[in-house]
Amino acid sequence: MEKQTRAHFEVHPSVVYQLGESLITDAIQALIELVKNCYDADATYAKVTIDTHGVIDVDGAIYPSQSGRILVEDDGHGMDLADVESGWLTISNRKKRELKHAKKTTPGGRSPLGDKGLGRLGVQRLGENLEIFTKSKAEQGYHFGFSWLDFETAPKLEDVDVHLAEIKYPQQHGTKVVVSGLREPDLWRGQSALKRLEQELSRMISPYRQIRDFTVAVVVDGKPLELLEISDQIRDIAPVRYSLAFDGTQLVIQGRTRLDFFRPSSSKEAEQFALISESDDGQAFFDFLQTQKLAKPLGLTRSNSKRWFVEFRWQRPLANLDKVHPAPSGHGVANPGPFAGEVDSFDLGTTAFQNQSVFDRISEYRRHIKELSGIRVYRDGFAIRVDHDWLKLGAQWTSATSYYGLKPDNTLGYIALSARDNMELEETTDREGFKDSPYFRNFYALLDEFKTFTTTAHDFFGRSWIEFRKMRNEALARVDSRKTVEDISQAIKKGLAEAPVHQKSLEVFKTRLSVSATASKAVALRLRSAKEITPELREKVTEALSDLEPLLVEAKAVTDRLSTYLDEIGALRGMGQVLED
């Protein structure tokens, strides 16, 4: 009788190697995945040490380090034997995903960032060998390790050699991951490489402390990296700030602007700005803004804070969006879950730089803002890789003939998601953005609403300022706004035509004053040298004084006429500004 056998699938170990190769885009993303594991382990910090020369010894390591090592250490809860077997030695175990779906958290109250069980495979992007030293509070410490190269040569998965041993771990709990046989050691070497690494990590790990309860320190070949941060001092330079919050039902947007937002860049216009706006702390301009049609829909109010000029507000329910997508189940709207964000718009001009004290050089100021520019998305403090201008601020800016809205290179901001509240906003497997879904489309539609509001607000302020400036210039120049360009030009010509008359009268007065001054000087010299005042000398003094008296009367008349004319010239200057407007 023929023996019956049951057909079944098997996976060749090389598939695991190929899977790890394709899962993660690059080595920096693979490093971030290791740091995320530290976060998921409730660690307060992750210390990353990159040694490209193999000079750092690791006690108990089984793989050599000729081409360097990468160490990632944390003070998290560590792993027991069951965690090692299920978390690292079982491919694509979805333990973290199950925890999130059950709305549960880690012992430290965090929702895990990882959920596919495949992120660990991307570690092979960093190096050929992997070792992990770990200890949980309850158990003995463990050391396990393997070489990714074995996956290419072993006939079956169970034939891949895995080192596993009990150890004495130096801390009460925590984990140390050691990657050796670095695949791209040059990626971490040299000034330009370090600068790129600093920039990439600064983008991948939130530079905003308020949405990050986790510290990351990175040292490369003994040199600590300075990850960029956006401090409150830097944010306070921005003349415009927005905050947005979606509570799961309604999007609320709040904006604030400083009076500096309207300050022109040229010194000539800045002087005019001070005259027509800053002299009354912007009150006349605010009164003008309130008369405009959009003031009420924008919820415009004078700010109670001395730092801000005006505040404005907008709200919109998710269900009322123009193109809202239903949930896949067919019941209700595809809700992306609550999220919040803040956005600052900076002025990179010389005037803005001069009014701040954070940066010493304007080049440093501009470089810092541009390096961190963009509205980024963070999930529990870790970036989701999206295009620099994924909200397409630049598209509307370059296509408009007169545009006042947010610009991609001088706008800094964040959208803060969480693993717990925004589970339906899934990232692609390679962590290069979001999966296209009804939930993501509604999330994007809410942010598109934010973008539309900011454009409306900036356009309102920009155009209102131009109208207000024109009105104030007309008032200061005492010009009827119904006058034509020709009328204003004739008024300027007529005013300037009087200048020769005043110049001529001033020349005559100067000549008479010079003659009288010469005579008076001669009398004064005789007085100083005379031993006694003779009748003749007394007569000379009297004569000089009688000549000065009418000159004093004439001087007053001349100065009065000139003062009046200078006032008229001042008005002509205002007319010139009106003409320019």
Side-chain angles (χ1 to χ4, degrees):
M1 182 176 179
E2 186 179 347
K3 185 179 179 181
Q4 297 292 321
T5 59
R6 183 174 177 272
H8 65 281
F9 285 103
E10 287 189 3
V11 176
H12 192 274
S14 62
V15 173
V16 175
Y17 191 81
Q18 293 165 12
L19 194 58
E21 182 80 20
S22 60
L23 277 174
I24 303 298
T25 308
D26 54 43
I28 292 178
Q29 182 63 52
L31 187 62
I32 290 292
E33 292 301 316
L34 286 180
V35 174
K36 284 182 180 180
N37 282 345
C38 302
Y39 176 89
D40 288 347
D42 287 334
T44 61
Y45 71 87
K47 180 182 178 182
V48 179
T49 305
I50 301 175
D51 166 28
T52 68
H53 302 292
V55 298
I56 297 178
D57 289 327
V58 178
D59 291 340
I62 59 175
Y63 293 104
S65 62
Q66 287 89 347
S67 61
R69 287 190 174 111
I70 293 177
L71 287 70
V72 180
E73 304 172 72
D74 68 50
D75 62 345
H77 52 56
M79 291 182 283
D80 57 25
L81 186 57
D83 292 328
V84 170
E85 292 175 341
S86 64
W88 279 91
L89 302 181
T90 303
I91 307 298
S92 193
N93 189 326
R94 294 179 172 237
K95 186 176 179 180
K96 292 181 181 180
R97 188 177 183 85
E98 292 169 1
L99 190 68
K100 286 198 290 190
H101 273 296
K103 301 292 183 181
K104 295 181 180 179
T105 61
T106 63
R110 293 174 179 170
S111 293
L113 293 170
D115 62 10
K116 297 175 176 63
L118 295 172
R120 71 186 77 100
L121 299 183
V123 178
Q124 63 104 341
R125 274 273 191 180
L126 299 173
E128 295 174 352
N129 312 306
L130 175 69
E131 298 180 67
I132 295 180
F133 302 81
T134 186
K135 182 184 181 300
S136 67
K137 288 182 179 180
E139 281 200 22
Q140 173 72 33
Y142 291 94
H143 169 212
F144 69 95
F146 55 87
S147 173
W148 294 107
L149 299 179
D150 289 345
F151 284 86
E152 290 189 308
T153 58
K156 294 184 179 181
L157 275 176
E158 58 261 32
D159 295 323
V160 174
D161 183 43
V162 178
H163 170 85
L164 178 61
E166 292 185 358
I167 60 167
K168 185 176 181 180
Y169 196 75
Q171 277 80 39
Q172 186 179 2
H173 56 86
T175 299
K176 176 162 65 176
V177 176
V178 181
V179 180
S180 58
L182 299 187
R183 295 184 62 185
E184 300 175 271
D186 288 342
L187 180 67
W188 322 101
R189 290 175 181 159
Q191 193 62 36
S192 60
L194 292 183
K195 186 64 179 176
R196 176 178 175 270
L197 182 59
E198 274 184 343
Q199 291 175 350
E200 288 291 330
L201 291 177
S202 295
R203 293 186 180 107
M204 296 302 292
I205 300 166
S206 170
Y208 296 92
R209 292 181 182 178
Q210 58 266 44
I211 60 170
R212 187 189 73 218
D213 60 349
F214 181 70
T215 301
V216 179
V218 183
V219 178
V220 181
D221 291 331
K223 179 181 173 64
L225 297 191
E226 296 181 4
L227 302 187
L228 298 177
E229 288 206 346
I230 302 177
S231 65
D232 289 340
Q233 279 184 306
I234 293 174
R235 295 190 65 199
D236 286 345
I237 301 173
V240 183
R241 175 170 299 172
Y242 289 98
S243 61
L244 59 153
F246 177 64
D247 61 3
T249 303
Q250 183 166 252
L251 176 68
V252 177
I253 308 166
Q254 293 181 308
R256 300 183 182 97
T257 70
R258 295 211 311 261
L259 200 55
D260 283 350
F261 176 58
F262 306 95
R263 185 187 301 278
S265 56
S266 73
S267 57
K268 176 188 173 184
E269 291 179 331
E271 183 181 338
Q272 181 196 24
F273 175 79
L275 175 66
I276 68 175
S277 183
E278 288 182 311
S279 58
D280 65 348
D281 196 28
Q283 187 58 47
F285 182 34
F286 174 72
D287 293 339
F288 176 81
L289 287 172
Q290 282 193 309
T291 65
Q292 306 303 298
K293 290 182 180 179
L294 270 177
K296 190 171 183 179
L298 289 176
L300 186 73
T301 60
R302 188 74 194 258
S303 178
N304 293 324
S305 169
K306 292 182 179 179
R307 288 184 53 248
W308 300 102
F309 170 48
V310 293
E311 299 185 10
F312 41 103
R313 193 173 187 273
W314 180 263
Q315 59 188 50
R316 189 80 180 270
L318 171 63
N320 288 0
L321 296 183
D322 294 336
K323 295 180 180 179
V324 65
H325 296 271
S329 63
H331 300 293
V333 172
N335 197 320
F339 63 86
E342 294 200 2
V343 175
D344 296 306
S345 178
F346 288 80
D347 180 357
L348 301 182
T350 305
T351 305
F353 169 74
Q354 292 170 342
N355 291 332
Q356 58 81 43
S357 58
V358 180
F359 300 96
D360 296 327
R361 297 186 301 275
I362 191 169
S363 58
E364 178 190 359
Y365 165 56
R366 289 172 175 168
R367 184 177 66 252
H368 192 90
I369 298 303
K370 288 182 178 180
E371 283 180 354
L372 288 170
S373 64
I375 300 176
R376 306 181 184 280
V377 186
Y378 299 96
R379 195 190 298 269
D380 294 312
F382 290 91
I384 297 172
R385 279 185 168 177
V386 292
D387 291 339
H388 176 252
D389 189 22
W390 66 294
L391 289 179
K392 297 180 174 59
L393 301 179
Q396 60 179 10
W397 174 42
T398 55
S399 64
T401 54
S402 179
Y403 180 67
Y404 299 95
L406 299 176
K407 301 177 179 67
D409 283 344
N410 62 356
T411 298
L412 273 64
Y414 68 84
I415 305 297
L417 306 178
S418 72
R420 182 185 62 237
D421 294 332
N422 309 106
M423 193 184 307
E424 302 296 347
L425 293 175
E426 293 189 273
E427 299 164 52
T428 56
T429 304
D430 61 3
R431 303 291 198 257
E432 287 298 297
F434 290 98
K435 287 183 178 179
D436 186 22
S437 70
Y439 300 98
F440 172 71
R441 289 178 215 143
N442 285 344
F443 170 65
Y444 195 90
L446 287 166
L447 294 176
D448 211 36
E449 191 74 17
F450 163 73
K451 183 176 69 174
T452 300
F453 171 71
T454 62
T455 301
T456 301
H458 282 231
D459 188 74
F460 165 69
F461 288 127
R463 297 184 189 282
S464 295
W465 168 251
I466 290 174
E467 288 299 316
F468 173 72
R469 184 183 65 185
K470 180 181 176 182
M471 182 189 75
R472 286 299 297 267
N473 284 335
E474 290 174 354
L476 290 172
R478 298 185 290 276
V479 174
D480 187 338
S481 60
R482 292 170 295 180
K483 286 183 178 291
T484 65
V485 170
E486 289 77 11
D487 293 334
I488 298 172
S489 296
Q490 287 299 322
I492 293 174
K493 285 181 180 179
K494 182 180 178 182
L496 294 176
E498 297 178 20
V501 176
H502 290 283
Q503 186 177 15
K504 185 175 180 180
S505 65
L506 186 61
E507 289 295 332
V508 172
F509 174 71
K510 282 170 63 180
T511 301
R512 292 183 58 198
L513 186 62
S514 177
V515 171
S516 179
T518 301
S520 299
K521 185 176 180 181
V523 172
L525 287 172
R526 289 186 62 182
L527 278 172
R528 279 199 296 270
S529 60
K531 294 181 179 179
E532 61 177 318
I533 299 177
T534 62
E536 180 191 2
L537 184 56
R538 186 178 291 111
E539 185 180 348
K540 288 288 185 183
V541 171
T542 302
E543 185 180 337
L545 289 174
S546 63
D547 287 342
L548 282 173
E549 188 174 351
L551 279 175
L552 292 173
V553 174
E554 187 176 351
K556 184 178 184 307
V558 169
T559 54
D560 285 346
R561 287 197 302 272
L562 286 175
S563 178
T564 301
Y565 183 62
L566 288 174
D567 286 341
E568 293 173 1
I569 290 293
L572 293 182
R573 180 185 176 187
M575 286 186 183
Q577 183 62 54
V578 172
L579 196 61
E580 183 179 330
D581 292 341

